[in-house]
Amino acid sequence: MENKPTSVWTSNRFWRRSATWITGVAAVLLILLTFDSMGQMQMGTAEDIQNKVTKRIPSPVVINYKIDYVLDPYRGHEVPIIGGKTVDSATGKVSSKFEEKEKFFGRDDWSEEEARALIHKGKLTIQAKNCMDCHTLLGNGAYYAPDLTKAWLDPAWSSEGPLQAMTGANSKEEAMATFLQNPDKYPTHERMMPNLGITPEEAKAVVAYLKFMSAIDTNGFPRNFGKIKGAVDARK
Amino acid sequence: MFEPCTDIVCSFWSMLNQGPMTLTIILHTLIVLPMIWIYFDEKKKLQSGE
């Protein structure tokens, strides 16, 4: 067989085969990654927390636990820590202990059903009041007001923070709920939040949702939240 | 050299994801290597006059 001078680059069949291959592989990859994402998004259960299994989206019963935001040098970003942290001395990897509880509106024994119902009501309120018209939640929404993904961990709402002091409440959840019911009364920012007619029950549910959302592992998103002074490793 | 898993929920993809670029590089290799084979296969066919 003699070697005829040929150009593969001008051959239609070469491009057709390449295009078929790339499209096929990409389609299969997208399907596999979709199933992977579905696994990642699976909400954890109360048993997971009892068995100290970390899930990206924890069970609603996390509202019974203390939530911290800690830099994980192993993963290279901040991670939410539920109920106290343990540090692996070899890798520096931090993980949740699921032990230390924290009262949420006076209780730390919210059952899975109660917590789920409360968070569901919070979600419906957030949708009904169109929070996303101004705020972002988990990256979705508008850029007029602060991102709420880690709002629960904002040091401004802690016992030493100015926002809790402003409302005169004794706990973070009560301060947030008080603010949400009458946001127009408190001078927070030039862009003041309007009064949306949120009832005390709705405010409680929204705060539960915010606490739950702060415990979702978002791979360190939003990136600039960790730069707020006192937001990360609040308890040294 | 190989980390067992860098993700919170471990899967085949999180094992490939050893660093920010690795998953991308592995997936592109998967696509490009057979294209090199397709190139030489087509060249062979063209030269033999198919």
Side-chain angles (χ1 to χ4, degrees):
Chain A
M1 183 185 78
E2 63 167 311
N3 272 1
K4 284 188 287 184
T6 51
S7 168
V8 181
W9 303 112
T10 53
S11 146
N12 267 348
R13 209 172 52 181
F14 166 71
W15 291 110
R16 196 167 57 226
R17 279 179 77 185
S18 297
T20 310
W21 167 252
I22 293 170
T23 312
V25 169
V28 169
L29 268 178
L30 281 174
I31 290 164
L32 291 173
L33 286 168
T34 302
F35 280 100
D36 184 62
S37 300
M38 281 160 73
Q40 301 270 351
M41 291 189 295
Q42 203 71 230
M43 190 193 261
T45 60
E47 285 86 67
D48 286 329
I49 288 188
Q50 264 166 13
N51 300 329
K52 305 188 192 303
V53 176
T54 300
K55 286 284 174 79
R56 192 174 284 281
I57 302 173
S59 157
V61 295
V62 285
I63 59 170
N64 293 322
Y65 291 85
K66 171 88 183 152
I67 296 161
D68 291 299
Y69 206 45
V70 172
L71 180 71
D72 187 342
Y74 181 78
R75 287 176 60 197
H77 51 68
E78 296 85 13
V79 291
I81 291 293
I82 301 158
K85 72 166 177 179
T86 50
V87 183
D88 186 321
S89 52
T91 59
K93 187 177 177 154
V94 292
S95 41
S96 300
K97 272 206 295 207
F98 302 103
E99 281 170 9
E100 189 183 341
K101 291 212 166 184
E102 176 187 71
K103 280 198 159 55
F104 186 76
F105 287 101
R107 287 177 58 193
D108 62 5
D109 58 349
W110 293 84
S111 72
E112 186 150 43
E113 291 73 33
E114 287 173 321
R116 189 179 283 266
L118 193 65
I119 286 165
H120 184 63
K121 189 183 167 78
K123 189 190 87 168
L124 293 180
T125 307
I126 284 167
Q127 289 170 337
K129 302 294 179 185
N130 271 329
C131 299
M132 281 189 193
D133 273 358
C134 296
H135 294 277
T136 37
L137 290 92
L138 297 165
N140 297 308
Y143 301 125
Y144 189 74
D147 186 284
L148 297 179
T149 311
K150 301 292 170 192
W152 174 261
L153 302 165
D154 191 328
W157 289 106
S158 70
S159 51
E160 293 92 39
L163 294 182
Q164 186 173 135
M166 168 188 80
T167 58
N170 295 321
S171 66
K172 194 191 275 190
E173 62 273 22
E174 277 158 17
M176 285 176 140
T178 309
F179 170 75
L180 283 172
Q181 287 165 65
N182 288 297
D184 52 334
K185 277 190 187 166
Y186 300 103
T188 47
H189 194 272
E190 199 180 343
R191 300 176 182 177
M192 262 172 53
M193 183 169 153
N195 193 329
L196 300 165
I198 297 172
T199 66
E201 277 307 302
E202 285 169 346
K204 191 174 168 180
V206 170
V207 177
Y209 189 90
L210 292 177
K211 184 169 185 181
F212 160 74
M213 186 162 56
S214 76
I216 296 176
D217 193 317
T218 52
N219 288 346
F221 175 88
R223 291 301 302 135
N224 56 0
F225 184 81
K227 295 193 181 82
I228 297 173
K229 204 173 167 226
V232 179
D233 285 311
R235 298 185 295 166
K236 288 282 181 191
Chain B
M1 185 183 167
F2 287 102
E3 299 283 341
C5 166
T6 48
D7 213 338
I8 187 144
V9 180
C10 287
S11 69
F12 174 67
W13 306 102
S14 64
M15 285 190 292
L16 293 182
N17 195 14
Q18 299 279 320
M21 281 296 284
T22 45
L23 187 60
T24 308
I25 291 169
I26 289 166
L27 296 181
H28 279 82
T29 309
L30 188 74
I31 287 168
V32 169
L33 282 182
M35 277 184 69
I36 295 169
W37 175 81
I38 291 172
Y39 176 87
F40 286 107
D41 188 53
E42 283 299 320
K43 193 171 186 172
K44 203 173 74 188
K45 282 182 183 168
L46 283 170
Q47 280 174 344
S48 63
E50 277 181 43

